[in-house]
Amino acid sequence: MAKVLVVTSGKGGVGKTTSTAALGAALAQSGKTVVVVDFDVGLRNLDLVMGAERRVVFDLINVIQGDARLTQALIRDKRLDTLALLPASQTRDKDALTAEGVGKVIEELRGKFDWVICDSPAGIEKGATLAMHNADAAVVVTNPEVSSVRDSDRIIGMLDSKTARAARGERIEKHLLLTRYDPQRAQRGEMLKVEDVMEILSIPLLGIIPESEEVLRASNLGAPVTLNAPQSSAGRAYFDAARRLMGETVPQVMPGEKRGLMSKLFGRRVA
Amino acid sequence: MALVLVPEPPVADWLAGLDTQMQRSPAFFAGKPVVIDLTSLAAAPEVVAGLLEALAARGIRVVGIEGAEPAVSGYDLPPLLTGGRTVLEGIAPEGPAAPAPAEPPQDPPFLLLAAPVRSGQSVVFPRGDVTVVGSVGSGAEVVAGGSIHVYGTLRGRAVAGVSGNAQARIFCRRLEAELLAIDGLYRTADDIEPRLRGKATMAWLEGDSMRVAGLD
């Protein structure tokens, strides 16, 4: 049974695209078939982070408007044959997306892949609402700072009211992915602590990704960090998060601390 | 006991009729509380506002509105009333009382939210109390005709007693509010004593001022 996941945040620059690529590559390495879909029409980035920018011929908008078939637009990853990318159009804008067209494409992707991961644009407008509309589950990417946390709170409210699942009265699974976490700065009070973020957002924690040079390097090389540096702290944290998405219980390693200290946080499951 | 006026469309004609009546007995409405019943008018909020102005100009004191859509209620309008009964003067008619008409099923006069109120959400419930089992996020607001109870952290705005209820109170398990208001009186975060931040608190009105105090 295919699962549609939206990676969203409200705020820009918190790591949605990086996390989409890293989680997609991690899930694909476990043998599942995965497609990552770029919804950021007009400001596409996922193709760069995936290292496929020179292979884009057709895109999501071409498929929605019937100019190309889905199989023509999908780009298979050269390193992992279980991973594919559906790029966004760079020359159009979000108005080219239609609810009906997006719904059709997602339905077709459900038939071809185990995981459909939608990389949402920032904001709360059409692009973001259409990216989340067909999702079964959401990864809410949040940085440990107040503006990001409040924007995530807003997005969680929209996930609970504006998605197809919400309209049917069903629950949408929500997971918190805390990115760019720096334990030293959190300790000095320059960043929100994990407990504070969890108290405010009150959704289960999927993982904590430490601030890491490797993430930036991987993005610039056009490779997800889970492919380029799987043994880095960020790479391992994304692998753990991917295993949790698949339903495994993996103890949370607090960046910079000993294993297992955070396990008690997983006992708190709200909303 | 209040006098009930039932305006009928078109409003201008009805007002003219009212004027004729008031010329005959100028002191009829003097000092008396008046409720207007909008059942036969089905008016938009702007029309209601205009009507209230016209009545105020004639010295008629409107204390309540009955039979209006909830959308009509507003901060500067009299409270909405429901369930008002006609007072029969004199002797009750003899014989077995007619069976009471079946009451339409009423929704309970409180609203219970079992999930957090997220940033950007606005919960408006003019008919009664609102209970939130969870937190009210920064940038969210809860507006209630009665009291507000938050079994979590109140970070956003809580506006209680909007239907003109000065008895309404605001309770929360942790106070981080941006704004507290009861019956039109309000306090912003800056006016709340810092020692109450993060504490279980209650806010209520005493005369014309708002009191905020810890619950423990």
Side-chain angles (χ1 to χ4, degrees), chain A residues 6 132-138 156 159-161 163 165-166 170-174 271:
Chain A
V6 61
M132 71 170 66
H133 190 261
N134 300 287
D136 304 312
I156 295 168
L159 285 166
D160 284 332
S161 59
T163 53
R165 270 188 175 245
E170 292 168 21
R171 233 181 111 265
I172 178 162
E173 253 178 67
K174 296 170 294 279

Side-chain angles (χ1 to χ4, degrees), chain A residues 150 153-154 156 199-201, chain B residues 118-119 121 137-138 153 155:
Chain A
R150 184 161 78 183
D153 196 39
R154 179 99 166 88
I156 295 168
E199 197 269 321
I200 295 173
L201 296 180
Chain B
R118 303 285 182 180
S119 183
Q121 288 179 334
S138 159
T153 309
R155 294 192 177 82

Side-chain angles (χ1 to χ4, degrees), chain B residues 4-72:
Chain B
V4 180
L5 286 176
V6 188
E8 281 158 7
V11 175
D13 292 358
W14 180 80
L15 283 171
L18 183 71
D19 285 339
T20 326
Q21 206 175 354
M22 285 180 73
Q23 268 164 14
R24 263 180 291 169
S25 44
F28 188 73
F29 290 109
K32 292 203 179 102
V34 172
V35 171
I36 54 172
D37 184 346
L38 299 178
T39 323
S40 51
L41 201 58
E46 309 83 66
V47 179
V48 177
L51 177 66
L52 289 174
E53 266 175 43
L55 291 176
R58 289 165 175 77
I60 297 175
R61 200 155 58 95
V62 178
V63 297
I65 302 176
E66 185 159 347
E69 295 291 315
V72 166

Side-chain angles (χ1 to χ4, degrees), chain A residues 26 38 51-52 110 137 140 148 156 172 181 186 193 220 227-228 258:
Chain A
D38 194 347
R110 272 185 201 269
V140 180
S148 173
I156 295 168
I172 178 162
Y181 184 78
K193 292 199 174 68
N220 286 329
L227 270 176
N228 191 60
K258 276 181 280 183

Side-chain angles (χ1 to χ4, degrees), chain B residues 36-161:
Chain B
I36 54 172
D37 184 346
L38 299 178
T39 323
S40 51
L41 201 58
E46 309 83 66
V47 179
V48 177
L51 177 66
L52 289 174
E53 266 175 43
L55 291 176
R58 289 165 175 77
I60 297 175
R61 200 155 58 95
V62 178
V63 297
I65 302 176
E66 185 159 347
E69 295 291 315
V72 166
S73 67
Y75 295 101
D76 49 351
L77 294 182
L80 298 184
L81 304 174
T82 49
R85 281 166 302 173
T86 310
V87 180
L88 289 176
E89 290 190 330
I91 304 157
E94 283 185 26
E103 293 249 323
Q106 289 261 319
D107 293 329
F110 63 88
L111 178 69
L112 183 101
L113 300 167
V117 182
R118 303 285 182 180
S119 183
Q121 288 179 334
S122 177
V123 175
V124 182
F125 189 71
R127 286 203 295 119
D129 289 10
V130 175
T131 305
V132 184
V133 185
S135 296
V136 176
S138 159
E141 73 179 357
V142 176
V143 180
S147 297
I148 296 172
H149 309 260
V150 180
Y151 292 94
T153 309
L154 173 57
R155 294 192 177 82
R157 300 168 160 217
V159 181

Side-chain angles (χ1 to χ4, degrees), chain A residues 23 26-27 30 175-177 198 204-209 233-254 258-267 269:
Chain A
L23 288 173
L27 288 166
S30 75
H175 306 276
L176 171 65
L177 187 67
M198 289 192 63
L205 184 63
L206 183 68
I208 304 169
I209 313 299
S233 58
R236 276 181 290 138
Y238 274 120
F239 272 111
D240 285 355
R243 285 170 61 198
R244 290 187 195 108
L245 274 179
M246 291 187 286
E248 286 181 48
T249 310
V250 185
Q252 173 68 49
V253 185
M254 191 69 190
K258 276 181 280 183
R259 188 171 270 274
L261 258 179
M262 283 290 293
S263 55
K264 61 174 196 285
L265 277 177
F266 282 86
R269 295 212 161 204

